[in-house]
Amino acid sequence: MKILVCVSVVPDTTTKITFTDGDTQFNKAGVQFIINPYDELSLTRALEMTEANGGSVTVITVGEADTEPVIRKALAMGAGDAIRVDASPKDGMYVAAQIAEQAKAGEYDLVLTGRESIDYNGGQVQGLVAEMLGWPFINVAMELDAEGNTIKATRDIDGGREMLTANTPCVVSAQKDLCEPRIPNMRGIMMARSKPLNVVPAVDKYDYTSVSKYELPPVKSGVKMIDAENAEQLIDILHNEEKLF
Ligand SMILES: Cc1cc2nc3c(=O)[nH]c(=O)nc-3n(C[C@H](O)[C@H](O)[C@H](O)COP(=O)(O)OP(=O)(O)OC[C@H]3O[C@@H](n4cnc5c(N)ncnc54)[C@H](O)[C@@H]3O)c2cc1C
């Protein structure tokens, strides 16, 4: 099975967010970038599946040259090769169009994504890719396997589980619990240096979005301690200051 794993390069969760250029650009200076955690899961599961049944795993990132160290980490985890679509991703639609183009050209059987990126949290790229390709789509899978041309996945639903099958080619997004993310070992890190990382130009589709302005959320006020005996003061604050009722 030929698997294409989508990897979003995101800031580490401890990053202090600031902006530049009149609050129109995210300030990347000093920021540690990582593989989107949900994408680590889909990549690990893709590796497990191809190790068990044969096939290949390619990772794809839509991003600029500064994403390459993180793409090399995905190669160190075990992916065979990588594609970087050379573009500044502006929104989910644009990213999905780039991925769909490569998925079609490379004749992949399975496109794996995370359930969402932990920076912009759109949760939309996977569905858009499936729609653009006209392929079946299984969202937020917590178990995933393949048997011949059939993909089997399990999802959490209200009060139970749902078992789904789909014919390849198809798109599946990963939910937590899919597997334990793999940590690259020294051999993987050494091998990653010489694995192919193919840089391809972006296709000119759905380039609609631009940022007018970013704004940080308001700073949270400190904790106010209220004596347990003083319910009246608590009610007064909730009513008059917080306007909760
Ligand atoms: C207004 C706006 C401005 C932006 N500006 C920039 C910018 O200047 N520079 C920049 O780097 N990013 C920028 N981004 C983020 C970039 O566009 C995101 O990659 C894209 O929007 C998808 O994010 P999402 O939250 O919709 O992804 P989701 O739909 O939450 O992602 C789901 C899954 O899709 C896959 N995926 C998502 N993004 C990518 C990707 N880029 N490559 C490969 N797979 C992917 C991953 O598997 C991910 O788990 C911007 C986003 C927005 C909305």
Side-chain angles (χ1 to χ4, degrees):
M1 178 163 294
K2 247 184 118 178
I3 307 179
L4 183 65
V5 178
C6 303
V7 169
S8 179
V9 174
V10 297
D12 186 12
T13 43
T14 57
T15 301
K16 195 171 176 332
I17 304 291
T18 57
F19 307 114
T20 58
D21 298 355
D23 291 341
T24 59
Q25 296 283 330
F26 169 59
N27 184 7
K28 292 183 180 175
V31 173
Q32 169 84 29
F33 283 91
I34 59 169
I35 300 177
N36 184 44
Y38 292 109
D39 302 343
E40 274 187 335
L41 298 180
S42 57
L43 174 55
T44 303
R45 189 64 198 127
L47 295 169
E48 290 170 354
M49 285 164 65
T50 50
E51 281 159 9
N53 303 316
S56 65
V57 177
T58 300
V59 292
I60 181 167
T61 293
V62 182
E64 291 170 343
D66 57 5
T67 58
E68 289 194 4
V70 178
I71 299 174
R72 289 276 170 211
K73 191 187 163 201
L75 292 171
M77 284 171 70
D81 61 342
I83 300 168
R84 178 172 71 80
V85 179
D86 189 21
S88 170
K90 296 191 197 88
D91 61 26
M93 191 83 171
Y94 180 77
V95 169
Q98 308 306 324
I99 294 170
E101 192 73 18
Q102 296 301 321
K104 196 165 50 178
E107 297 182 344
Y108 292 92
D109 302 301
L110 178 61
V111 172
L112 291 184
T113 74
R115 63 168 289 171
E116 64 183 337
S117 66
I118 62 157
D119 52 359
Y120 288 86
N121 302 88
Q124 56 182 335
V125 167
Q126 57 272 43
L128 290 167
V129 170
E131 176 62 25
M132 287 171 186
L133 291 167
W135 292 2
F137 169 43
I138 301 176
N139 207 9
V140 290
M142 49 188 304
E143 285 175 1
L144 175 65
D145 236 316
E147 216 175 270
N149 292 336
T150 307
I151 295 297
K152 297 177 169 187
T154 305
R155 290 157 37 91
D156 249 351
I157 52 169
D158 242 6
R161 292 251 171 114
E162 184 179 48
M163 284 72 154
L164 295 160
T165 58
N167 288 334
T168 58
C170 75
V171 179
V172 178
S173 84
Q175 161 71 306
K176 68 180 168 60
D177 297 334
L178 184 67
C179 55
E180 278 299 312
R182 191 171 284 190
I183 296 165
N185 57 27
M186 189 47 77
R187 187 163 171 270
I189 294 167
M190 299 303 285
M191 284 173 67
R193 292 182 187 166
S194 54
K195 286 182 178 173
L197 196 170
N198 303 307
V199 181
V200 299
V203 288
D204 188 14
K205 277 185 181 170
Y206 304 118
D207 193 357
Y208 296 149
T209 314
S210 64
V211 176
S212 313
K213 192 170 186 256
Y214 287 112
E215 207 174 86
L216 289 173
V219 180
K220 285 185 183 160
S221 57
V223 174
K224 195 176 272 181
M225 301 300 285
I226 297 166
D227 195 293
E229 304 298 315
N230 198 350
E232 268 179 27
Q233 188 193 354
L234 177 63
I235 292 165
D236 181 60
I237 290 170
L238 293 177
H239 183 59
N240 294 317
E241 288 181 26
E242 302 299 327
K243 312 249 184 258
L244 290 181
F245 59 93

